[in-house]
Amino acid sequence: DLIYVVDEQFYIFLIMLFPFKALVLDVFDSIFLKYNLPYNRAYFLKIIIYSLPRCIIVTDDRRLKLLPAFAQNKAIVMPNVPFLAKYPLKTKTNELVVCLFGTLVRDRGSEFALNMINANPMIELVCAGWICDKYSEKLLSHPRVSYLGIMSQVESNNYLSKYGDYLLMIYPTNNLNNKYASPNKIYDAIHTKTPVIINSSIYVSSFVASTNIGVVVNDSRYIDYQELCSEIYCKRESFNSVFTESLKKKYSWNNYEDYYLHAMPK
């Protein structure tokens, strides 16, 4: 009854294959934002792509406003929230366990993580995900770095909940898709009670600051990694009271499912 498509680049082919089917377009990683084409830029192509779906899904209000005006009327906001689940309690050690999960690339956290390791011998780095450059591949050979392979969300969240002191979220600012990143890591951190470390030039860092679920690093100037490591080591116990059950329920799939199902085309 319904064809659900993730991202615009695949959608145009499905329009030709299934012109009369009800289509839903989930703009999870917008190709237009990757090429810095928000709002009405590339308007003719957006008319073709955004006119036919009955529903468009975006991950937050900021990304909703980057759509052309005609597409906003049929769009809904669905954050990248996980299911409610029971996770193991934290196992604390003297070392500070920093986790870098997802796409492993130099400018998406690998270089930042290496600077932290070099600045403080108490930092242990745990990586999981796709190794996408030589820099990250070399990082994994460091004696204080562990690599867990490619993990499912459930597996990574179980690990975070038990062992992670911080979840690293560093994004480059070379395109709007990164600046307006709306990562599931934010909500995984809430559910696993793991504070995040995020760079301030990413807009979702304002959410991290307002909810106090992590540390925002000002990447517009030189970063003193020794000072940063000392700060996060001292702060790691201070986030315990922030991750409440009500916050988990608010940002869970269980809270959004009915809204999502009612928004789907009938």
Side-chain angles (χ1 to χ4, degrees):
D1 298 325
L2 185 67
I3 296 177
Y4 188 106
V5 188
V6 178
D7 294 334
E8 302 102 334
Q9 57 267 41
F10 305 111
Y11 189 75
I12 196 161
F13 299 107
L14 286 165
I15 290 173
M16 294 182 286
L17 290 172
F18 305 103
F20 303 111
K21 294 289 284 186
L23 300 173
V24 174
L25 175 60
D26 187 335
V27 190
F28 179 80
D29 259 337
S30 173
I31 194 168
F32 292 117
L33 296 185
K34 288 179 180 178
Y35 286 96
N36 298 316
L37 297 169
Y39 312 119
N40 289 330
R41 296 177 190 175
Y43 190 73
F44 178 73
L45 189 54
K46 287 181 180 179
I47 284 283
I48 296 173
I49 293 177
Y50 291 149
S51 290
L52 286 176
R54 297 192 192 176
C55 180
I56 299 170
I57 300 174
V58 292
T59 49
D60 62 37
D61 289 324
R62 290 190 182 92
R63 292 174 82 91
L64 173 67
K65 293 172 183 175
L66 296 175
L67 291 171
F70 76 88
Q72 291 183 27
N73 297 328
K74 62 171 77 175
I76 65 168
V77 173
M78 279 293 300
N80 297 320
V81 289
F83 287 99
L84 280 174
K86 289 185 178 180
Y87 292 108
L89 297 175
K90 293 271 187 220
T91 301
K92 294 294 183 183
T93 62
N94 290 332
E95 290 76 22
L96 195 73
V97 179
V98 176
C99 296
L100 177 60
F101 291 172
T103 303
L104 304 179
V105 181
R106 180 172 185 166
D107 61 1
R108 289 176 68 95
S110 292
E111 184 175 21
F112 191 99
L114 182 60
N115 289 335
M116 290 179 69
I117 294 170
N118 290 336
N120 192 314
M122 298 297 289
I123 302 289
E124 298 280 344
L125 179 68
V126 177
C127 298
W130 299 269
I131 307 166
C132 293
D133 62 5
K134 293 291 184 183
Y135 189 95
S136 301
E137 187 177 349
K138 186 177 179 181
L139 170 68
L140 301 182
S141 65
H142 193 283
R144 279 189 282 122
V145 176
S146 304
Y147 178 59
L148 304 178
I150 297 171
M151 305 171 73
S152 69
Q153 186 180 29
V154 172
E155 289 171 330
S156 62
N157 280 358
N158 272 294
Y159 189 93
L160 275 176
S161 184
K162 190 170 184 179
Y163 301 111
D165 288 307
Y166 286 91
L167 179 59
L168 196 57
M169 294 175 48
I170 302 297
Y171 291 86
T173 56
N174 55 341
N175 63 53
L176 292 175
N177 196 53
N178 287 334
K179 284 187 176 182
Y180 286 89
S182 186
N184 62 285
K185 293 186 187 75
I186 288 284
Y187 307 108
D188 292 341
I190 289 172
H191 283 250
T192 62
K193 300 183 178 182
T194 310
V196 303
I197 302 170
I198 189 171
N199 49 324
S200 60
S201 55
I202 305 306
Y203 293 121
V204 76
S205 64
S206 62
F207 175 81
V208 173
S210 65
T211 53
N212 193 32
I213 60 167
V215 175
V216 178
V217 179
N218 190 339
D219 56 348
S220 63
R221 63 172 185 262
Y222 168 77
I223 297 172
D224 186 330
Y225 285 93
Q226 288 185 336
E227 182 180 329
L228 172 64
C229 291
S230 297
E231 177 190 353
I232 63 174
Y233 194 93
C234 293
K235 276 187 171 182
R236 70 171 173 172
E237 301 289 347
S238 67
F239 296 98
N240 292 341
S241 61
V242 175
F243 298 112
T244 62
E245 286 301 309
S246 61
L247 190 66
K248 285 172 60 176
K249 289 177 181 177
K250 181 179 180 180
Y251 296 108
S252 70
W253 174 259
N254 309 60
N255 189 41
Y256 279 90
E257 185 173 29
D258 285 344
Y259 162 73
Y260 168 77
L261 292 174
H262 282 100
M264 290 298 97
K266 302 299 187 290

